Amino acid sequence: MKHVLGLSGGRDSAALAVYMRQHHPELEIEYFFTDTGKELPEVYEYLGRLEGFLGQPILRLNPDRDFDFWLKQYNDFLPSPQTRWCTRQLKLRPFERWLRPMLDDGMTVYSYVAIRSDEEYREGYSSKHDKLIVRLPFKEAGIDKAGVLDVLEGAGLGLPRYYEWRTRSGCTFCFFQQKIEWVRLKEQHPEAFEEAKAYEKDAVEHGSPFTWSQGESLEELEQPERVAQIREDHEQRLARMKSKVQPNPLRPDSEPLDIDDLYGKAKVCLACHK
């Protein structure tokens, strides 16, 4: 029997790791992180802090093929909400490849997934093997978003540092980013923004129907007039939200804890954004 818990570098999976360490110390859980090679530096920093709390290393699962390989396999089409080949090939495939020998040997594997009690609209990883059993401890314990924050604060971990400018983990150029997050990526990690731009330019030249951000290229998005428009739209959304809800003491800048609370919930990938 084996127990595993996947970490995305995000808030919820980190809180679940803390929760399991505190409430189920009898379980020998192997924590793992599937590294796409395109992660934010803040993600690695947060994983390091989490390793300190857990008192054990987090296993890094590396895809056998990198992003560039799969981009070619998909005819230079960028991944998109319609075609999430990045999650399939760079997150789920390494996970399944890692577990396969254990399952083939007849071992039962329990996989703990950080879906909260207030996420009725989300489903966990759908197991294709009867020996791979998915558990949702936060749902079972009734732990919601506020509960997750309590867990992280209580452990002294707090939130990942990228929450200062972005609220989701995942690749630097994740297509689920809102336009204001692209603007901030350019400010915080200009080299990553330039890399994303280069991928997009090459993909479009090879016939990709997708750009990273819906309806415009990053070259168009980064123009000063467009950036000003995006910032103004964001400020107007914030003002509307502030007029309806109580201020959050964790966000004195009045930004929502989750950007999707402002722009609408995206059906993000669990393996990347939890």
Side-chain angles (χ1 to χ4, degrees), residues 63-123:
D64 55 343
R65 307 286 190 178
D66 64 10
F67 179 86
D68 292 0
F69 171 85
W70 288 113
L71 183 61
K72 288 293 173 198
Q73 294 301 303
Y74 284 87
N75 298 319
D76 290 297
F77 278 26
L78 294 176
S80 70
Q82 295 80 22
T83 314
R84 305 184 199 183
W85 60 255
C86 48
T87 305
R88 276 200 306 279
Q89 304 298 356
L90 297 174
K91 286 288 186 180
L92 299 181
R93 189 168 181 268
F95 172 64
E96 292 168 349
R97 194 163 51 98
W98 175 49
L99 291 187
R100 191 176 305 129
M102 304 176 213
L103 295 170
D104 287 348
D105 285 346
M107 186 181 290
T108 299
V109 178
Y110 289 91
S111 175
Y112 299 91
V113 178
I115 296 181
R116 306 185 311 259
S117 64
D118 56 340
E119 295 182 300
E120 291 300 330
Y121 56 95
R122 271 198 180 128
E123 297 175 358

Side-chain angles (χ1 to χ4, degrees), residues 67 70-83 85 175 196-217:
F67 179 86
W70 288 113
L71 183 61
K72 288 293 173 198
Q73 294 301 303
Y74 284 87
N75 298 319
D76 290 297
F77 278 26
L78 294 176
S80 70
Q82 295 80 22
T83 314
W85 60 255
F175 47 80
K197 240 171 68 178
Y199 274 123
E200 183 182 72
K201 186 170 185 292
D202 188 59
V204 170
E205 286 174 357
H206 282 84
S208 172
F210 306 116
T211 48
W212 289 121
S213 184
Q214 190 175 8
E216 62 187 333
S217 68

